[in-house]
Amino acid sequence: MSPDGGRIAYQWWVGDEEYELRVVAAGGGEERVIVPRTANHYSLRTPLEWSADGSQILCLMEQVNGHWVDLALIPADGGAPKLLHSFPEEDPGHVSLSPDGRFVAYDFPRHSGSVTGTQLIILPTDGSPPRSLIDGSANDGSPLWTPDSAQIFFTSDRSGESDGWIVDVSDGVSRGQPRLVSRNMEFARPVALTSDGRYHYRLDTSALHVYVVPVDLAGGSPQGKSVRFPLGAVAAYSLPGWSPDFRFLAYLTGPSSPGPPVIRDASGITIVDTLSGTRRDIVPQLSALRDRLPLWSPSGDSIFVKGTSLENRTGYFRVDVVSGETAPVMFLDSPDRYSAFRWSVDGRALLYMDAERGIVAHDLASGREAIVVDWKANKFLGFFGFAASPDGHSLAFGAQGAGSFAPAVFAQAFGGAPIDLFRLGSSEPGNRKLLNVLAWTPDNQEILFATLKFGLAVGSDVPYQLWRVPAAGGEPQNVGVRIPGFAPPYATSLSPDLKFVAYSVVERADEMWVMEQFLPPRGSEIFRPRR
């Protein structure tokens, strides 16, 4: 929107991967095409900001060959773009035009190809080359000019945490050291710094909740009502794990702090009584918990988790459900290789997934290991959950491979070869993309798995559905459990009696905040934001 609120500039798709820049009066009326398709060999990428006097629009422009992105100023009444700078490899981050129109500030990686570590860059609009604004190694980003063009507000981790800072700028050069003006800005997403000195920003306050829904495998009754437990700050990709008596749920939790749950670190385990709704928290003696299903011991007196010790060694650990006492089960030499883990039927071995070897059985008494499903011999790629049959003779698992990238459900007797039972593909209803093997039926005859319409937007109809397929092969059947909402790909868990499904779902939410009086003279107190 233009500074006077009278006009709106926007991107408009015209087909063939090309866009136009259009302007329309805020009250409606005729649209004006400011930059038509392929004008001067450009296609509009993104309109970023109006100049303070409303005469120009700062835009990202993509060259028709698609190889370079340019930063340009566009006359608001039409005309040729004024090229400011070309970006042949990486795009600039947050971009801000100074109110006097002399400079552009943006954040950019300190090193090519790096996803962390950004610096502030000043780009004169007179055609001079860009230059770094502040020396150092801090992660500086999200710059915004103050109304007088004399300062830049930005976020930085230079103090060890992501806070808000101000630096004086004169003629495009920083003057003096940055000053701390606001705390805890890690998850703030800048919207605008207005002419009266107010900083408006978005804060992602999404929450990840755990639900339980009744299941009727016989299909004789409709799906029951889901029950949500008010569980506080659930950690990233927290998967609920059932106790052997299927009364309690355990899941990973993180610190209660702003920001989306998908990037929160897990630090504790919460146990919920599904009958009474009461909860209690356990803090394991670990530096971090990893994004895997908490696995109850067969006796129900401890929970197994993947985590990192206080000595910075990653592995599988046993956590006492009463005292929280923590002991290692096995350490992992390459932590990223190892993922899901389950019990053998007799409880004597831990079955876990090694991305290089396959599904491995680790004897808890002797420490000896045996490969149960050989990943390389069968040319498998992706992995989509596994479960042991109740009689202890077979495994079911999801994988990619065997000549196709489509996820499939396999069954394999111990010592035998895998059997392809069901393969997802474009011919299947809804063109499902992912699946997760969950459990066997008590009679060893069927395998239960969930499907996920991966990549659907928030609010889509039914991303998750529960299915069953005969272990000997045959047509799968939809059980009728439909899980709405946006959830992590493997966030479903069947109770041991197969009567309930627990799942975790991200419920999206945003808040708009404004920070006032944060441009104090040097040495005054730090102001805090209000909602």
Side-chain angles (χ1 to χ4, degrees):
M1 181 168 281
S2 62
D4 62 4
R7 292 171 293 174
I8 299 171
Y10 59 96
Q11 178 190 54
W12 187 262
W13 181 59
V14 293
D16 298 327
E17 302 299 326
E18 293 184 352
Y19 298 85
E20 293 179 342
L21 176 64
R22 296 186 179 187
V23 172
V24 67
E30 183 180 357
E31 306 168 14
R32 293 193 58 193
V33 177
I34 304 302
V35 178
R37 60 189 297 174
T38 66
N40 296 324
H41 307 292
Y42 283 112
S43 177
L44 178 80
R45 170 76 74 85
T46 310
L48 300 172
E49 188 176 2
W50 289 72
S51 62
D53 61 5
S55 66
Q56 300 182 95
I57 304 168
L58 185 65
C59 296
L60 281 178
M61 308 289 289
E62 183 169 337
Q63 296 184 13
V64 172
N65 62 19
H67 294 159
W68 287 32
V69 170
D70 294 339
L71 190 63
L73 280 170
I74 313 295
D77 294 328
K82 177 184 178 182
L83 175 64
L84 299 180
H85 190 64
S86 293
F87 299 88
E89 296 180 354
E90 297 174 87
D91 296 356
H94 187 81
V95 182
S96 178
L97 179 64
S98 63
D100 61 13
R102 297 177 58 203
F103 301 97
V104 173
Y106 59 88
D107 54 58
F108 200 74
R110 289 188 181 275
H111 306 287
S112 178
S114 174
V115 295
T116 59
T118 57
Q119 60 182 323
L120 298 185
I121 301 295
I122 289 293
L123 175 66
T125 58
D126 63 4
S128 301
R131 55 180 177 266
S132 178
L133 179 66
I134 305 171
D135 294 331
S137 59
N139 190 32
D140 301 332
S142 302
L144 284 173
W145 289 89
T146 57
D148 57 4
S149 299
Q151 297 171 315
I152 289 178
F153 173 81
F154 64 101
T155 58
S156 176
D157 62 1
R158 59 188 53 240
S159 65
E161 302 292 338
S162 186
D163 301 320
W165 297 75
I166 282 283
V167 63
D168 295 326
V169 180
S170 176
D171 291 326
V173 177
S174 61
R175 307 296 182 185
Q177 294 299 312
R179 306 189 300 278
L180 178 66
V181 295
S182 58
R183 297 283 190 183
N184 302 321
M185 303 299 290
E186 179 178 2
F187 300 108
R189 297 295 176 260
V191 175
L193 205 166
T194 58
S195 58
D196 58 0
R198 299 183 180 192
Y199 177 59
H200 293 257
Y201 61 95
R202 284 178 46 225
L203 196 63
D204 189 334
T205 55
S206 300
L208 198 158
H209 296 284
V210 172
Y211 288 78
V212 172
V213 61
V215 177
D216 178 17
L217 291 180
S221 62
Q223 176 177 329
K225 182 179 180 181
S226 296
V227 176
R228 189 184 89 172
F229 294 97
L231 304 177
V234 179
Y237 292 88
S238 181
L239 311 185
W242 291 92
S243 62
D245 61 4
F246 45 85
R247 175 172 176 173
F248 298 94
L249 279 174
Y251 56 93
L252 307 183
T253 50
S256 180
S257 61
V262 293
I263 55 177
R264 288 191 186 127
D265 290 330
S267 57
I269 302 171
T270 293
I271 298 176
V272 175
D273 186 329
T274 60
L275 296 182
S276 67
T278 58
R279 58 171 284 181
R280 59 190 180 89
D281 299 310
I282 300 173
V283 180
Q285 297 154 3
L286 297 170
S287 62
L289 292 166
R290 302 304 177 189
D291 55 346
R292 296 299 164 198
L293 182 79
L295 184 67
W296 290 77
S297 64
S299 60
D301 61 355
S302 58
I303 294 173
F304 284 62
V305 295
K306 182 182 177 184
T308 302
S309 71
L310 300 178
E311 296 77 27
N312 201 33
R313 298 187 66 187
T314 298
Y316 298 124
F317 296 84
R318 183 199 304 264
V319 181
D320 188 278
V321 297
V322 176
S323 66
E325 184 177 349
T326 306
V329 177
M330 59 177 293
F331 289 110
L332 307 174
D333 52 357
S334 301
D336 293 339
R337 281 174 42 190
Y338 304 93
S339 53
F341 53 100
R342 301 285 186 272
W343 288 110
S344 62
V345 173
D346 59 13
R348 296 179 180 179
L350 197 65
L351 304 172
Y352 66 89
M353 178 61 207
D354 179 344
E356 292 188 2
R357 292 184 291 169
I359 299 176
V360 180
H362 177 90
D363 187 278
L364 293 176
S366 67
R368 289 193 296 267
E369 295 191 340
I371 297 176
V372 180
V373 178
D374 194 318
W375 231 231
K376 291 182 179 178
N378 293 286
K379 299 181 180 179
F380 288 133
L381 298 175
F383 167 70
F384 308 103
F386 71 94
S389 61
D391 62 10
H393 294 161
S394 303
L395 278 181
F397 58 92
Q400 286 175 315
S404 172
F405 287 100
V409 177
F410 292 88
Q412 176 180 318
F414 287 102
I419 301 172
D420 190 335
L421 300 178
F422 172 72
R423 189 174 294 273
L424 295 178
S426 58
S427 61
E428 300 305 325
N431 189 21
R432 299 178 185 91
K433 300 298 184 182
L434 288 180
L435 57 81
N436 183 27
V437 171
L438 299 173
W440 292 67
T441 54
D443 59 7
N444 302 289
Q445 297 301 304
E446 294 183 304
I447 298 162
L448 297 165
F449 64 95
T451 58
L452 165 66
K453 295 179 181 178
F454 186 72
L456 288 184
V458 176
S460 297
D461 182 21
V462 191
Y464 278 86
Q465 297 188 43
L466 186 63
W467 294 73
R468 61 199 301 171
V469 63
E475 289 296 320
Q477 293 181 327
N478 193 325
V479 175
V481 175
R482 298 152 63 86
I483 301 174
F486 178 85
Y490 310 113
T492 49
S493 177
L494 272 166
S495 62
D497 62 353
L498 305 184
K499 292 184 178 180
F500 297 92
V501 171
Y503 62 95
S504 53
V505 172
V506 175
E507 297 182 350
R508 298 296 188 186
D510 269 306
E511 294 177 349
M512 187 73 81
W513 289 66
V514 60
M515 187 166 63
E516 301 171 324
Q517 297 179 321
F518 74 101
L519 302 177
R522 190 185 304 271
S524 61
E525 69 171 305
I526 296 172
F527 289 85
R528 299 189 180 276
R530 68 174 176 82
R531 180 161 51 180

